[in-house]
Every structure is written in structure tokens, then in C-alpha cells.
Amino acid sequence: MAKVRSTAFFCKECGYESAKWMGQCPVCREWNTFVEAPVQKAGGAGNRGVSGRGLAGAGRFLTDASPKKLSEIPSSGGERVSTGMAELDRVLGGGLVSGSLALVGGDPGIGKSTLLLQVCRNLSEAGHQVLYISGEESLSQIKLRADRLGEFSGELTFLCETSLDMVSDTIVQEKPEVVVIDSIQTMYREDVGSAPGSVGQVRESTATLLQLAKRNNISIFIVGHVTKEGTVAGPRMLEHMVDTVLYFEGEKNVPYRILRSVKNRFGSTNEIGVFEMQEDGLREVANPSEYMLSGKPEGASGSVTACSMEGTRPMLLEIQALVCRTNFGMPRRTAAGTDYNRVNLLLAVLEKRAGFRLSDCDVYVNIAGGIRVNEPSLDLGIVMALASSHRDIPVDDKMMVFGEVGLSGEVRAVSMAEKRVQEAAKLGFTACVLPKVCLPGLRQEVPGLKLIGVSSVQEAVDLIGR
């Protein structure tokens, strides 16, 4: 008689199962990702329609397994439900999709629960039935946080429960339109013999919620904690199972929060939402450029306004650079808010193509506002900020800069140049430095805005002090 295994080893990145521990996963090729977890017994989770092997049971919400032609599939209409927050609707692709499963991740205390509680309030006031399920807070604790956010009305109910079997029964009985699970790491299934938050529990719990969302046409948000590397804790397969993955980013000492989509089956993954944390909750920032430039010093060297594109939204940012002589044998290089290696590359271009001597200088580059951007269009702004600080000559406060810099010192074209120019004109800028190759693509000139096309780094640096 064959020996029945009670435990197995699972890869946290891709979910590959092995009978023994391995240093490297043979599927995703990652190292040291195998963890031991109990194996689901036959017939345990199958009674509820979800297989003990994770994704195997996630498709059982289909009532008819026979293949169909595209013309035979009924259309769902594609209507979306507004969350009452324009920034969140933008990231979701226009609003909530019925029957979708969305994962919201972020650092502890960043505002995930506050954001979803405000969404629940907006949806309930709009006439939708909403169920908020918490496995981390008691009802009295939720009420304290809700009192801070303001008045609540409508069909909004709360439940404190960690047993997924009880949660599933409640959802089926109440039949809400929107459900929030806070958080997935606290949920557990009794027929899975491992602790809450383990690989097996997170995988099986997510599969059950996916089945509930698709079968009952319910929109479900699940909150996920993140690791020190910034990824959602638990198996990476969790992100593959859900429809949408949202990350809430920001520093605790900075009031601004960025909601970013890294996966969206119903919309773009390039859009971001900007929020500001206040005493009464999160407030939407409709014009991020104005907020990011607030407090910008006037007449200071090393400060340049550049334009980045986040999806279809142009965002003006302040790039700060400080170049000073070093007192040590090896100069120091620091970059905050942008790629460190990219800054080193641009320093080399300045030395080789523009004749700057920076090998004996400490260099510090910062993107003001606590936001992190890696778009190549910021290259020209970083170069001009470095040159301005090195020469100690300020750049015109009413000048906006964007463009990609190549290793030969050329300034290359970037996408959506017209939207960037229009954003600069809207905020009162009088000059815009951009790649010369982008000038013919502009359909019309903007009154009151002088367009300066440059083809090389040397041409851009020569504009400083004019």
C-alpha cells in the first residue's frame, strides 16, 4: 500500500508542488522559494466546489461545461459601477466590473482599509448593498474609524469573522453587490490543515472567493499585506488568480498616496490615482501637478520642472539636484525617487558630451513630493538640474523640460508630447524645452508658451542662465 503524504512543498512564486524541498524551482527558476504545507485530503474542499490544488477548482463556477461559439455567449452589457472616487475609477478602467475579484496591497498603515471603507460608504449611499468583512478589527474598532471619516448611511453592513466557511455562507445568504475582505491573510478554511496566512490557506481562500464572485456576480475586494520587498505576502500565484491587482504606495511621513494598477483584466495598467491623507480620511487629488509643485523654491539652482506621463495623465514634477565638491577620495552618488543607475548614466553623458567635470563631486538627485518615477522623459530634466547646480545658475522658474537622453548626448523623442505641452500651458508656464523631433508632431501652437526644441544635451545646457 502506497504511503499517503500529509505535507508537500510549494513554490511561493509560481505554486509548483514538489514531494521534497528543492533549492531552485524548476518552473520559475527562483531560489529558496519552497515552503512546506499540508496536503488537502481528497473530498475535503471538493464538497464546496473548490479543489485542494488551488486553481483547479477556481473554474467550477461555470454551470455549463460544453464549449460554445462566441456568438452563443450572452453579453453581460459591460456596465461598470462607479465607486464614487474618480481617482479609483480611473485606475480600475472606468469603475467596478460585476463579478470581479480585486486585490489591494500596500504597506501597513498606508491607508488600504481607509480607502476601501470610503468606497463602501460611497457605494452604499448610491443604493448598492455592501458587506464589509474584517478579520483584523472588531466592530467597535471599525466604528471608531468610521466616525473619523464622517456619517455613513445606506445598505452597508459589517461582519467580523475569520472562518471562510462562515464568510461564504453569509455572502450567499445576504447576496451583496460588493464585498470587502480585510484581509486575505487572516482568513482560514477548516478543511485545510495549516495556519492562516500560509501558502495553502491563502491559495484555497482566494479560490473560494473567486468562485463566489463569478458564480454570484459579486464584486469582491481583498486586502493583502506586503513583504519587506514590497510584494503581496503569500504565494505569487495569488496575483495570477485575481482579476485586478492594485498597490497603494507612499511614505508614512508624506501625505500623498499613489494607487497603481499592476494587473487589470478590464482596463489599462498604466493609470495611477493620487490621494492625500487627511484627518477625515483620503482626499482625491484631481490636479497632481499643482500639488507636486507646491513649495517649489524660486530662483534656486538645481531645481527644474519636468513632465512625466502616468498612463494618459501628464504630471509635472520638481527635480532637485545638488552637486558639490567632495572631501573624500570617492565621490558619493545618491538618487531618491528615480533610478540610481540612470542618474550615473546621465552623469557620464554630461562629462563626455558636455565637458562637465563631475568625477570629484558629490551628486544628490531627488524627485520632490515623495513620488517615484522611472520614465525616460525625465532624463533631460535631470541633466539640466545637474548642470544648473554645478554652475550654480538657476533655471527659469517658468520653464518646463522633458525628453530622453541617449548615450551619444542626443535628445530623443518621447510619447504624448502634445499633452505634456498643454499641461505646462495650463499651469502658467511660459517656456517648454522639448526634443526638436517632437516639434513637427504638435498639431497647434499654444498661445503664451514658447516651444524650444533641442537635439543634444549641449544645446539644452546652453539654455541655462538665458
Side-chain angles (χ1 to χ4, degrees), residues 185 188 191 196 212 231 302 327 353 386 401 409 441:
Q185 277 85 8
Y188 74 94
D191 48 13
L212 286 171
T231 59
N327 295 321
R353 308 300 178 187
L386 292 170
V401 180

Side-chain angles (χ1 to χ4, degrees), residues 9-18 20-34:
F9 292 88
F10 297 89
C11 175
K12 294 189 295 183
E13 293 294 326
C14 65
Y16 176 77
E17 179 181 349
S18 173
K20 61 180 181 179
W21 185 87
M22 291 187 289
Q24 184 183 34
C25 177
V27 176
C28 64
R29 316 302 297 177
E30 294 291 333
W31 288 90
N32 299 323
T33 57
F34 276 87

Side-chain angles (χ1 to χ4, degrees), residues 73-154:
I73 302 175
S75 176
S76 60
E79 297 183 358
R80 294 177 180 261
V81 177
S82 175
T83 62
M85 305 182 77
E87 294 296 304
L88 179 56
D89 289 342
R90 173 194 291 269
V91 177
L92 291 174
L96 276 178
V97 176
S98 298
S100 62
L101 182 63
L103 171 65
V104 182
D107 294 329
I110 203 67
K112 303 183 296 296
S113 300
T114 300
L115 173 67
L116 293 178
L117 192 57
Q118 290 183 230
V119 170
C120 291
R121 179 181 61 180
N122 296 339
L123 291 170
S124 62
E125 291 177 351
H128 302 284
Q129 187 175 359
V130 184
L131 176 61
Y132 188 99
I133 302 174
S134 176
E136 299 180 344
E137 297 177 295
S138 64
L139 291 178
S140 59
Q141 291 173 330
I142 296 176
K143 182 173 176 56
L144 287 175
R145 184 153 48 88
D147 292 339
R148 179 173 57 88
L149 300 179
E151 296 183 0
F152 281 69
S153 61

Side-chain angles (χ1 to χ4, degrees), residues 165-380:
D165 295 334
M166 296 292 295
V167 169
S168 302
D169 294 339
T170 303
I171 293 176
V172 172
Q173 292 174 6
E174 298 293 331
K175 293 184 173 57
E177 299 177 54
V178 180
V179 176
V180 174
I181 306 292
D182 186 9
S183 65
I184 190 62
Q185 277 85 8
T186 61
M187 297 293 147
Y188 74 94
R189 293 187 49 161
E190 297 178 357
D191 48 13
V192 178
S194 57
S198 63
V199 173
Q201 286 285 5
V202 172
R203 183 182 64 246
E204 295 296 330
S205 298
T206 305
T208 301
L209 294 173
L210 179 64
Q211 177 193 17
L212 286 171
K214 305 302 181 182
R215 176 184 292 175
N216 300 283
N217 206 29
I218 300 173
S219 300
I220 300 180
F221 286 99
I222 58 177
V223 177
H225 298 302
V226 297
T227 62
K228 61 181 180 180
E229 290 82 12
T231 59
V232 176
R236 193 60 180 266
M237 187 174 57
L238 173 62
E239 298 187 8
H240 300 307
M241 296 171 68
V242 301
D243 298 314
T244 306
V245 180
L246 307 177
Y247 276 94
F248 213 30
E249 306 171 354
E251 300 292 338
K252 291 183 179 180
N253 54 350
V254 177
Y256 302 109
R257 303 287 188 266
I258 306 296
L259 183 65
R260 193 184 306 273
S261 172
V262 298
K263 174 187 177 182
N264 192 353
R265 289 174 179 161
F266 313 113
S268 173
T269 57
N270 296 322
E271 300 290 350
I272 68 167
V274 184
F275 299 86
E276 182 181 7
M277 179 63 76
Q278 296 183 346
E279 293 183 359
D280 57 349
L282 291 165
R283 188 175 67 87
E284 300 176 75
V285 179
N287 190 354
S289 299
E290 182 179 355
Y291 279 83
M292 293 300 173
L293 296 179
S294 61
K296 183 179 182 297
E298 296 182 0
S301 63
S303 176
V304 173
T305 301
C307 185
S308 172
M309 291 296 297
E310 295 290 346
T312 59
R313 166 187 283 177
M315 184 181 300
L316 299 189
L317 305 167
E318 180 191 358
I319 299 177
Q320 298 176 335
L322 180 62
V323 180
C324 55
R325 296 294 178 183
T326 182
N327 295 321
F328 303 97
M330 181 175 295
R332 184 174 182 179
R333 305 282 191 260
T334 301
T338 188
D339 187 17
Y340 169 80
N341 294 322
R342 190 73 181 177
V343 172
N344 285 334
L345 182 149
L346 296 175
L347 288 171
V349 172
L350 269 177
E351 288 209 34
K352 181 73 175 179
R353 308 300 178 187
F356 283 75
R357 183 179 175 182
L358 301 173
S359 59
D360 57 348
C361 295
D362 291 333
V363 176
Y364 307 89
V365 176
N366 175 49
I367 306 297
I371 191 173
R372 182 168 184 83
V373 185
N374 290 324
E375 194 189 4
S377 64
L378 297 184
D379 290 352
L380 190 58

